[in-house]
Amino acid sequence: MKCRLLAAAGVALAATLAGCATAPPQLYHWGDYQRQVYQSLNADDTGPQEQLQQLEQQAEKARAKGSALPPGFRAHVGLLMLRLGRDADAAAQFEAEKQTFPESTAYMNFLLRRMQPAKAAQAAPAEVTR
């Protein structure tokens, strides 16, 4: 009886340890994204072009691993593109963020609307007042 009890306990312990041995795969490839956002918000010495290059490297790593980009990644890239004057690329990033994370739709639409007056002002010739 004691042997059976010890064997059952040993099997239960082995099953428990085997279940804990493998960690679940991460849902997103975070890489250095969080550190880069922190640096961006703290106005460190890296400019938007350098930050954009770092994020593009993170996106390449995620694609190589077959991992998804985290929430806000595309929106952050879009904001950096806006700072660089790449409005069309920024709008594409905002649209991609909306498609990937529908819960971001309200904020992405807000950013897209904020971009439209600037585009309209650039496209329309200035009126001359006399």
Side-chain angles (χ1 to χ4, degrees):
M1 181 72 167
K2 286 185 179 180
C3 288
R4 286 186 182 174
L5 187 59
L6 284 173
V11 169
L13 180 63
T16 302
L17 292 176
C20 294
T22 58
Q26 287 190 353
L27 189 56
Y28 303 110
H29 175 79
W30 290 94
D32 287 341
Y33 170 62
Q34 293 170 315
R35 181 187 56 81
Q36 291 168 340
V37 169
Y38 179 80
Q39 287 175 339
S40 173
L41 294 174
N42 284 315
D44 69 345
D45 293 337
T46 59
Q49 184 62 42
E50 184 179 337
Q51 291 176 33
L52 189 58
Q53 288 172 346
Q54 291 172 356
L55 290 173
E56 287 171 352
Q57 290 172 355
Q58 291 300 315
E60 286 298 320
K61 288 179 184 177
R63 279 190 280 278
K65 288 183 174 183
S67 299
L69 294 173
F73 188 94
R74 293 169 189 85
H76 188 71
V77 168
L79 291 171
L80 290 172
M81 288 178 169
L82 274 179
R83 289 178 61 194
L84 294 170
R86 296 170 51 185
D87 292 0
D89 293 332
Q93 291 294 322
F94 297 153
E95 290 294 338
E97 184 76 19
K98 280 189 343 185
Q99 294 301 315
T100 309
F101 300 102
E103 61 274 17
S104 71
T105 298
Y107 183 54
M108 294 301 104
N109 285 342
F110 167 77
L111 293 175
L112 289 165
R113 279 193 309 271
R114 296 272 320 239
M115 290 174 61
Q116 289 176 353
K119 287 182 182 177
Q122 291 173 356
E127 292 185 26
V128 178
T129 56
R130 295 181 189 203

